[in-house]
Amino acid sequence: MTDEFLSKLKLIAPGTPIRQGVDDILNAHGGALIVFAEDYKKHPLTFQVGFHLNEDFSPQRLYELAKMDGAIVLNDEGEKILAANTHLIPDPSIPSEETGTRHRSAERIARQFNKLVIAISRRRKTITVYYGSEKHVIGDVISLMNKVNQALNTYEKYRQSFDKLLLQLDIAELEGSVTLREVCEILERAALAMKIEEEARRYLIELGTEGRLSKLTLDEMSEGVEDTVNLLILDYYNGDPDECDPETVRERLKNLPEKELLGFLSVARALNYDVSSSQQLGDVTVESHGFRILRRDSKIPMNIVTNVVRAFGTLERISQASLDQLKKVEGIGETRAAAIRRTIEMKKRQNAVQG
């Protein structure tokens, strides 16, 4: 489902005026065909209008007009009812897998004009949404809430695993004992979590106001994950970090099939490592550039962090730098240099205690 289609689904999510009107029609055992096409007058052969309206949208008006035959035409934002009792004659050569007349017309109109079309089935008691070549049957609120809760539970498990592995990485980084396999495992957990988050947010769009509490829960659980992943990618990218676009790599990881993620090999290749087998990953030792610790723990602005990494190259060299050496970096004064030293020393003490 494309982002554009998801944005269209927001128009008919629970809590919106359009959804109220659609639910009223469905609950009254009615059917309807609703087309969002404010330029319908440009296509008189396709849109043979019974009568023009140009009235403000209201759920009650939609409900009453659905009692008549023909489609109801709204503007693209769903704020105006433009026409009703409209006979649709789409291009018959456009392929359609639908069997019912209403749904077949809806699919063809959506494909022909790249418009949003809603088909409400009296017999099936379903709401089907078409947009361009995409189609989606709206689920009932209870089923969607069950899917969201399942997704939240799964996300929580991945997030807990991700956080645990990050703590282990903090220890290994300053000891200089990080392997490529460990980095790939962390990014694999993050990618799986982001996949689940994306799925949950699709359900939440359909739920509208019914999913507001679940949305707050997901927002809280997912806070900081994408930023942390971006910093991890910069830390362990095999090459000049200036040539790495972490957001592009992150999206690539998120879009990898789950089977490829679990093998870690595709994760390593996304970080620009030339590896031919998963067995190699545990033998390759890697060094952090220091982005994550400087940005997350020392709270230094990202542009200044970049300057520090350019000056020293790796976290190990940063940890060995004196205050005077740090202050030679553009943007690093006495306060920030001291903050970097405190962060490094604190991490070392924590590692010693945990060790």
Side-chain angles (χ1 to χ4, degrees):
M1 193 181 298
T2 62
D3 291 340
E4 190 174 5
F5 191 23
L6 284 172
S7 71
K8 298 296 182 182
L9 288 180
K10 291 179 182 179
L11 292 173
I12 54 172
T16 63
I18 292 175
R19 181 56 176 268
Q20 182 182 335
V22 167
D23 283 344
D24 289 344
I25 295 168
L26 199 61
N27 292 335
H29 306 289
L33 187 56
I34 305 166
V35 184
F36 294 72
E38 58 190 33
D39 60 350
Y40 72 101
K41 291 182 180 179
K42 296 179 180 178
H43 312 284
L45 296 179
T46 301
F47 294 86
Q48 297 187 1
V49 177
F51 53 91
H52 301 276
L53 288 169
N54 197 30
E55 296 286 340
D56 289 340
F57 178 90
S58 74
Q60 182 63 28
R61 283 185 177 135
L62 184 71
Y63 173 75
E64 294 297 336
L65 291 170
K67 295 176 181 178
M68 296 187 295
D69 291 334
I72 301 166
V73 182
L74 309 183
N75 71 334
D76 292 348
E77 292 75 29
E79 298 168 345
K80 290 278 189 179
I81 301 177
L82 304 179
N85 191 218
T86 303
H87 182 48
L88 300 177
I89 308 178
D91 182 352
S93 66
I94 295 174
S96 174
E97 296 181 359
E98 300 290 0
T99 54
T101 303
R102 177 182 290 137
H103 289 74
R104 188 162 55 244
S105 294
E107 184 177 29
R108 284 175 172 163
I109 288 290
R111 287 175 176 267
Q112 185 173 348
F113 298 104
N114 199 40
K115 296 295 185 181
L116 178 67
V117 185
I118 303 171
I120 306 171
S121 173
R122 178 190 300 110
R123 181 173 58 85
R124 301 176 191 169
K125 296 182 179 179
T126 57
I127 304 165
T128 307
V129 184
Y130 303 87
Y131 181 67
S133 60
E134 296 186 82
K135 168 189 172 182
H136 182 69
V137 179
I138 298 294
D140 65 88
V141 171
I142 294 175
S143 296
L144 287 170
M145 283 301 301
N146 287 337
K147 290 178 179 178
V148 167
N149 289 334
Q150 184 179 9
L152 290 176
N153 290 334
T154 304
Y155 184 89
E156 185 177 22
K157 292 176 183 177
Y158 282 133
R159 178 65 198 264
Q160 289 173 349
S161 176
F162 175 68
D163 290 342
K164 182 180 178 180
L165 290 170
L166 272 180
L167 288 174
Q168 294 173 0
L169 182 66
D170 284 346
I171 296 171
E173 279 181 335
L174 290 174
E175 292 178 349
S177 58
V178 179
T179 67
L180 182 54
R181 183 178 183 82
E182 290 172 312
V183 174
C184 290
E185 186 177 5
I186 294 173
L187 290 175
E188 175 250 7
R189 291 291 191 282
L192 290 171
M194 289 187 292
K195 283 177 178 290
I196 296 297
E197 179 189 356
E198 188 174 64
E199 179 182 339
R201 292 198 184 280
R202 286 202 298 268
Y203 297 143
L204 289 170
I205 286 173
E206 286 190 58
L207 281 169
T209 56
E210 296 290 338
R212 60 187 180 278
L213 294 180
S214 295
K215 182 180 182 301
L216 289 173
T217 301
L218 182 58
D219 288 345
E220 183 178 357
M221 286 198 298
S222 62
E223 184 177 6
V225 170
E226 288 191 352
D227 289 340
T228 300
V229 171
N230 286 348
L231 293 171
L232 278 168
I233 290 167
L234 287 171
D235 270 343
Y236 291 100
Y237 181 76
N238 186 28
D240 186 346
D242 287 341
E243 298 176 358
C244 174
D245 181 354
E247 292 188 1
T248 299
V249 176
R250 189 190 73 223
E251 287 302 305
R252 178 180 170 185
L253 290 173
K254 187 175 73 174
N255 293 327
L256 283 173
E258 189 170 328
K259 185 177 180 180
E260 290 190 33
L261 278 171
L262 296 174
F264 299 158
L265 195 58
S266 294
V267 179
R269 288 171 178 167
L271 293 174
N272 203 34
Y273 286 90
D274 184 15
V275 287
S276 57
S277 68
S278 299
Q279 287 72 25
Q280 291 180 263
L281 302 180
D283 299 327
V284 178
T285 302
V286 291
E287 282 189 278
S288 168
H289 291 295
F291 283 96
R292 198 174 87 266
I293 283 182
L294 292 176
R295 181 73 187 101
R296 182 195 64 186
D297 298 322
S298 298
K299 309 298 183 186
I300 295 175
M302 193 60 190
N303 61 321
I304 308 301
V305 171
T306 301
N307 291 342
V308 175
V309 173
R310 285 172 179 165
F312 296 98
T314 66
L315 177 60
E316 182 181 4
R317 291 175 189 155
I318 295 169
S319 68
Q320 294 171 351
S322 65
L323 285 174
D324 289 338
Q325 289 173 320
L326 289 169
K327 286 190 291 184
K328 291 179 181 179
V329 177
E330 183 180 355
I332 297 294
E334 188 75 35
T335 301
R336 285 175 176 163
I340 293 172
R341 292 303 314 159
R342 279 197 305 273
T343 297
I344 299 295
E345 293 304 318
M346 181 185 68
K347 288 292 181 183
K348 288 180 177 179
R349 286 196 299 273
Q350 288 176 347
N351 290 357
V353 170
Q354 292 175 8

